[in-house]
Short mmCIF file of all heavy atoms in Angstrom, two decimals:
data_model
loop_
_atom_site.label_atom_id
_atom_site.label_comp_id
_atom_site.label_asym_id
_atom_site.label_seq_id
_atom_site.Cartn_x
_atom_site.Cartn_y
_atom_site.Cartn_z
N PRO A 40 94.42 55.48 85.58
CA PRO A 40 93.34 54.65 84.94
C PRO A 40 91.99 55.04 85.43
O PRO A 40 91.83 55.59 86.52
CB PRO A 40 93.76 53.24 85.35
CG PRO A 40 94.48 53.38 86.63
CD PRO A 40 95.29 54.65 86.50
N MET A 41 91.01 54.92 84.54
CA MET A 41 89.62 55.20 84.83
C MET A 41 89.05 53.94 85.55
O MET A 41 89.52 52.84 85.49
CB MET A 41 88.82 55.47 83.66
CG MET A 41 89.37 56.66 82.82
SD MET A 41 89.10 58.27 83.66
CE MET A 41 87.28 58.41 83.47
N LEU A 42 87.88 54.13 86.24
CA LEU A 42 87.17 53.09 86.87
C LEU A 42 85.95 52.65 86.09
O LEU A 42 85.31 53.47 85.46
CB LEU A 42 86.70 53.47 88.31
CG LEU A 42 87.86 53.92 89.32
CD1 LEU A 42 87.18 54.48 90.60
CD2 LEU A 42 88.69 52.73 89.63
N THR A 43 85.58 51.39 86.16
CA THR A 43 84.38 50.96 85.59
C THR A 43 83.19 51.38 86.49
O THR A 43 83.48 51.73 87.65
CB THR A 43 84.34 49.36 85.39
OG1 THR A 43 84.31 48.77 86.75
CG2 THR A 43 85.52 48.93 84.64
N HIS A 44 82.06 51.30 86.07
CA HIS A 44 80.91 51.64 86.83
C HIS A 44 80.81 50.69 88.09
O HIS A 44 80.52 51.13 89.21
CB HIS A 44 79.54 51.50 86.04
CG HIS A 44 78.40 52.09 86.74
ND1 HIS A 44 77.11 51.91 86.27
CD2 HIS A 44 78.29 52.90 87.85
CE1 HIS A 44 76.25 52.53 87.10
NE2 HIS A 44 76.93 53.19 88.02
N GLU A 45 81.06 49.42 87.90
CA GLU A 45 80.97 48.43 89.03
C GLU A 45 82.12 48.76 90.02
O GLU A 45 81.87 48.71 91.22
CB GLU A 45 81.23 47.03 88.51
CG GLU A 45 80.06 46.52 87.60
CD GLU A 45 80.07 47.17 86.21
OE1 GLU A 45 81.09 47.67 85.79
OE2 GLU A 45 78.94 47.13 85.60
N GLN A 46 83.28 49.09 89.59
CA GLN A 46 84.30 49.39 90.51
C GLN A 46 84.06 50.63 91.32
O GLN A 46 84.32 50.78 92.48
CB GLN A 46 85.65 49.61 89.70
CG GLN A 46 86.24 48.32 89.16
CD GLN A 46 87.34 48.55 88.12
OE1 GLN A 46 87.46 49.67 87.64
NE2 GLN A 46 88.07 47.49 87.81
N GLU A 47 83.48 51.61 90.60
CA GLU A 47 83.14 52.92 91.23
C GLU A 47 82.09 52.65 92.36
O GLU A 47 82.19 53.26 93.48
CB GLU A 47 82.54 53.88 90.14
CG GLU A 47 82.21 55.26 90.69
CD GLU A 47 81.69 56.12 89.53
OE1 GLU A 47 82.46 56.53 88.66
OE2 GLU A 47 80.45 56.37 89.52
N ILE A 48 81.05 51.87 92.06
CA ILE A 48 80.02 51.58 93.05
C ILE A 48 80.57 50.83 94.23
O ILE A 48 80.25 51.15 95.35
CB ILE A 48 78.92 50.70 92.33
CG1 ILE A 48 78.13 51.60 91.33
CG2 ILE A 48 77.86 50.24 93.48
CD1 ILE A 48 77.09 50.77 90.61
N ASP A 49 81.47 49.87 93.93
CA ASP A 49 82.10 49.10 95.04
C ASP A 49 82.88 50.03 95.91
O ASP A 49 82.84 49.88 97.17
CB ASP A 49 82.93 48.03 94.45
CG ASP A 49 83.65 47.13 95.49
OD1 ASP A 49 82.89 46.59 96.29
OD2 ASP A 49 84.89 47.18 95.54
N LEU A 50 83.71 50.93 95.34
CA LEU A 50 84.54 51.80 96.18
C LEU A 50 83.63 52.81 96.94
O LEU A 50 83.95 53.08 98.11
CB LEU A 50 85.44 52.51 95.29
CG LEU A 50 86.62 51.71 94.62
CD1 LEU A 50 87.37 52.47 93.60
CD2 LEU A 50 87.61 51.19 95.74
N ALA A 51 82.62 53.24 96.31
CA ALA A 51 81.76 54.21 96.99
C ALA A 51 81.06 53.65 98.15
O ALA A 51 80.86 54.29 99.20
CB ALA A 51 80.76 54.78 95.98
N LYS A 52 80.66 52.41 98.09
CA LYS A 52 80.00 51.73 99.17
C LYS A 52 81.03 51.46 100.32
O LYS A 52 80.70 51.60 101.54
CB LYS A 52 79.39 50.40 98.69
CG LYS A 52 78.22 50.56 97.84
CD LYS A 52 77.57 49.27 97.48
CE LYS A 52 76.26 49.46 96.71
NZ LYS A 52 75.62 48.19 96.24
N LYS A 53 82.25 51.14 99.91
CA LYS A 53 83.24 50.95 100.97
C LYS A 53 83.46 52.25 101.79
O LYS A 53 83.65 52.26 103.00
CB LYS A 53 84.57 50.50 100.35
CG LYS A 53 84.59 49.05 99.85
CD LYS A 53 85.90 48.71 99.27
CE LYS A 53 86.01 47.27 98.77
NZ LYS A 53 87.29 46.83 98.25
N LEU A 54 83.47 53.33 101.01
CA LEU A 54 83.62 54.63 101.71
C LEU A 54 82.47 55.01 102.60
O LEU A 54 82.61 55.41 103.71
CB LEU A 54 83.85 55.73 100.66
CG LEU A 54 83.90 57.17 101.16
CD1 LEU A 54 85.02 57.38 102.14
CD2 LEU A 54 84.02 58.19 99.98
N SER A 55 81.28 54.84 102.10
CA SER A 55 80.07 55.24 102.82
C SER A 55 79.74 54.35 104.01
O SER A 55 79.31 54.78 105.04
CB SER A 55 78.84 55.36 101.90
OG SER A 55 78.56 54.06 101.37
N GLN A 56 80.02 53.10 103.87
CA GLN A 56 79.70 52.09 104.85
C GLN A 56 80.79 51.85 105.82
O GLN A 56 80.54 51.67 107.02
CB GLN A 56 79.29 50.79 104.23
CG GLN A 56 78.01 50.87 103.33
CD GLN A 56 77.80 49.52 102.58
OE1 GLN A 56 78.48 48.53 102.72
NE2 GLN A 56 76.76 49.59 101.70
N ASN A 57 82.09 51.91 105.40
CA ASN A 57 83.20 51.60 106.29
C ASN A 57 84.14 52.79 106.44
O ASN A 57 85.19 52.61 107.06
CB ASN A 57 83.91 50.39 105.75
CG ASN A 57 83.03 49.23 105.51
OD1 ASN A 57 82.15 48.89 106.35
ND2 ASN A 57 83.19 48.54 104.36
N ASN A 58 83.85 53.89 105.79
CA ASN A 58 84.75 55.06 105.91
C ASN A 58 86.15 54.66 105.44
O ASN A 58 87.12 54.99 106.04
CB ASN A 58 84.86 55.62 107.34
CG ASN A 58 85.40 57.03 107.29
OD1 ASN A 58 85.32 57.74 106.36
ND2 ASN A 58 86.07 57.38 108.44
N ASP A 59 86.18 53.87 104.34
CA ASP A 59 87.46 53.44 103.73
C ASP A 59 88.19 54.55 103.06
O ASP A 59 87.74 54.91 101.92
CB ASP A 59 87.12 52.30 102.83
CG ASP A 59 88.36 51.52 102.34
OD1 ASP A 59 89.50 52.23 102.31
OD2 ASP A 59 88.34 50.33 101.99
N LEU A 60 89.21 55.12 103.64
CA LEU A 60 89.96 56.18 103.01
C LEU A 60 90.65 55.78 101.72
O LEU A 60 90.86 56.59 100.89
CB LEU A 60 90.83 56.83 104.05
CG LEU A 60 90.19 57.48 105.29
CD1 LEU A 60 91.25 58.08 106.16
CD2 LEU A 60 89.16 58.43 104.89
N ASN A 61 91.03 54.55 101.69
CA ASN A 61 91.74 54.07 100.48
C ASN A 61 90.81 54.08 99.29
O ASN A 61 91.21 54.41 98.16
CB ASN A 61 92.31 52.68 100.69
CG ASN A 61 93.07 52.17 99.47
OD1 ASN A 61 93.84 52.86 98.83
ND2 ASN A 61 92.73 50.91 99.07
N ALA A 62 89.52 53.75 99.60
CA ALA A 62 88.55 53.80 98.46
C ALA A 62 88.27 55.26 98.08
O ALA A 62 88.15 55.51 96.89
CB ALA A 62 87.21 53.17 99.02
N ALA A 63 88.25 56.16 99.06
CA ALA A 63 88.07 57.59 98.72
C ALA A 63 89.28 58.10 97.86
O ALA A 63 89.05 58.80 96.92
CB ALA A 63 88.04 58.39 100.06
N GLN A 64 90.48 57.62 98.23
CA GLN A 64 91.65 57.98 97.42
C GLN A 64 91.51 57.57 95.97
O GLN A 64 91.76 58.32 95.00
CB GLN A 64 92.87 57.47 98.09
CG GLN A 64 94.16 57.87 97.33
CD GLN A 64 95.35 57.08 97.80
OE1 GLN A 64 95.28 55.84 97.89
NE2 GLN A 64 96.48 57.85 98.11
N GLN A 65 91.08 56.39 95.76
CA GLN A 65 90.99 55.86 94.44
C GLN A 65 89.88 56.53 93.64
O GLN A 65 90.14 56.83 92.43
CB GLN A 65 90.70 54.35 94.48
CG GLN A 65 91.81 53.54 95.07
CD GLN A 65 91.47 52.03 95.07
OE1 GLN A 65 91.18 51.37 94.06
NE2 GLN A 65 91.45 51.38 96.26
N LEU A 66 88.76 56.91 94.29
CA LEU A 66 87.72 57.67 93.64
C LEU A 66 88.25 59.05 93.23
O LEU A 66 87.95 59.52 92.15
CB LEU A 66 86.53 57.77 94.55
CG LEU A 66 85.70 56.49 94.76
CD1 LEU A 66 84.72 56.69 95.84
CD2 LEU A 66 85.03 56.08 93.46
N VAL A 67 88.98 59.69 94.02
CA VAL A 67 89.52 61.01 93.78
C VAL A 67 90.52 60.92 92.67
O VAL A 67 90.46 61.74 91.71
CB VAL A 67 90.18 61.66 95.03
CG1 VAL A 67 90.84 62.94 94.74
CG2 VAL A 67 89.03 62.02 96.11
N LEU A 68 91.46 60.05 92.82
CA LEU A 68 92.58 59.98 91.83
C LEU A 68 92.05 59.68 90.41
O LEU A 68 92.56 60.22 89.42
CB LEU A 68 93.65 58.92 92.24
CG LEU A 68 94.48 59.26 93.47
CD1 LEU A 68 95.29 58.04 93.87
CD2 LEU A 68 95.40 60.49 93.14
N SER A 69 91.12 58.84 90.32
CA SER A 69 90.60 58.42 89.03
C SER A 69 89.83 59.52 88.33
O SER A 69 89.46 59.42 87.12
CB SER A 69 89.68 57.16 89.17
OG SER A 69 88.50 57.47 89.95
N HIS A 70 89.48 60.55 89.06
CA HIS A 70 88.70 61.71 88.51
C HIS A 70 89.48 63.04 88.43
O HIS A 70 88.93 64.06 88.18
CB HIS A 70 87.41 61.94 89.22
CG HIS A 70 86.38 60.84 89.03
ND1 HIS A 70 86.49 59.62 89.67
CD2 HIS A 70 85.26 60.78 88.20
CE1 HIS A 70 85.50 58.87 89.25
NE2 HIS A 70 84.70 59.54 88.36
N LEU A 71 90.78 63.00 88.72
CA LEU A 71 91.50 64.13 88.64
C LEU A 71 91.65 64.73 87.28
O LEU A 71 91.71 65.99 87.08
CB LEU A 71 93.00 63.89 89.19
CG LEU A 71 93.15 63.64 90.67
CD1 LEU A 71 94.58 63.39 91.05
CD2 LEU A 71 92.64 64.85 91.43
N ARG A 72 91.63 63.90 86.23
CA ARG A 72 91.68 64.42 84.85
C ARG A 72 90.40 65.23 84.56
O ARG A 72 90.44 66.11 83.69
CB ARG A 72 91.81 63.27 83.84
CG ARG A 72 90.57 62.35 83.81
CD ARG A 72 90.87 61.20 82.77
NE ARG A 72 91.87 60.33 83.23
CZ ARG A 72 92.48 59.47 82.48
NH1 ARG A 72 92.21 59.45 81.15
NH2 ARG A 72 93.43 58.62 82.93
N LEU A 73 89.29 64.92 85.19
CA LEU A 73 87.99 65.69 84.98
C LEU A 73 88.29 67.13 85.49
O LEU A 73 87.83 68.07 84.84
CB LEU A 73 86.90 65.06 85.75
CG LEU A 73 85.59 65.83 85.82
CD1 LEU A 73 84.98 66.00 84.38
CD2 LEU A 73 84.53 65.13 86.74
N VAL A 74 88.94 67.29 86.64
CA VAL A 74 89.23 68.60 87.20
C VAL A 74 90.10 69.39 86.27
O VAL A 74 89.84 70.58 85.95
CB VAL A 74 89.93 68.50 88.57
CG1 VAL A 74 90.20 69.88 89.10
CG2 VAL A 74 88.99 67.74 89.55
N VAL A 75 91.10 68.70 85.67
CA VAL A 75 92.03 69.44 84.74
C VAL A 75 91.24 69.89 83.55
O VAL A 75 91.41 71.00 83.03
CB VAL A 75 93.16 68.48 84.31
CG1 VAL A 75 93.97 69.02 83.20
CG2 VAL A 75 94.04 68.15 85.53
N SER A 76 90.36 69.05 83.04
CA SER A 76 89.60 69.40 81.89
C SER A 76 88.67 70.56 82.09
O SER A 76 88.55 71.52 81.30
CB SER A 76 88.83 68.21 81.42
OG SER A 76 87.95 68.52 80.28
N ILE A 77 88.00 70.57 83.22
CA ILE A 77 87.12 71.70 83.58
C ILE A 77 87.86 72.99 83.86
O ILE A 77 87.51 74.04 83.36
CB ILE A 77 86.23 71.36 84.84
CG1 ILE A 77 85.35 70.16 84.52
CG2 ILE A 77 85.42 72.54 85.26
CD1 ILE A 77 84.57 69.65 85.71
N ALA A 78 88.99 72.91 84.47
CA ALA A 78 89.84 74.05 84.83
C ALA A 78 90.32 74.66 83.51
O ALA A 78 90.43 75.94 83.41
CB ALA A 78 91.01 73.67 85.65
N ARG A 79 90.51 73.96 82.47
CA ARG A 79 90.97 74.53 81.16
C ARG A 79 90.02 75.44 80.64
O ARG A 79 90.36 76.39 79.95
CB ARG A 79 91.36 73.37 80.23
CG ARG A 79 92.16 73.71 79.04
CD ARG A 79 92.55 72.56 78.23
NE ARG A 79 93.54 71.72 78.88
CZ ARG A 79 93.31 70.46 79.26
NH1 ARG A 79 92.10 69.95 79.00
NH2 ARG A 79 94.22 69.79 79.90
#
Side-chain angles (χ1 to χ4, degrees):
M41 303 290 289
L42 299 174
T43 66
H44 192 191
E45 293 74 19
Q46 291 168 342
E47 183 178 290
I48 292 176
D49 180 59
L50 291 170
K52 287 183 176 180
K53 287 181 179 180
L54 173 60
S55 61
Q56 295 173 6
N57 305 318
N58 195 30
D59 189 334
L60 297 183
N61 181 47
Q64 181 192 48
Q65 293 181 60
L66 289 170
V67 170
L68 290 173
S69 65
H70 288 79
L71 288 178
R72 69 179 66 196
L73 173 64
V74 177
V75 171
S76 177
I77 295 175
R79 194 173 291 116

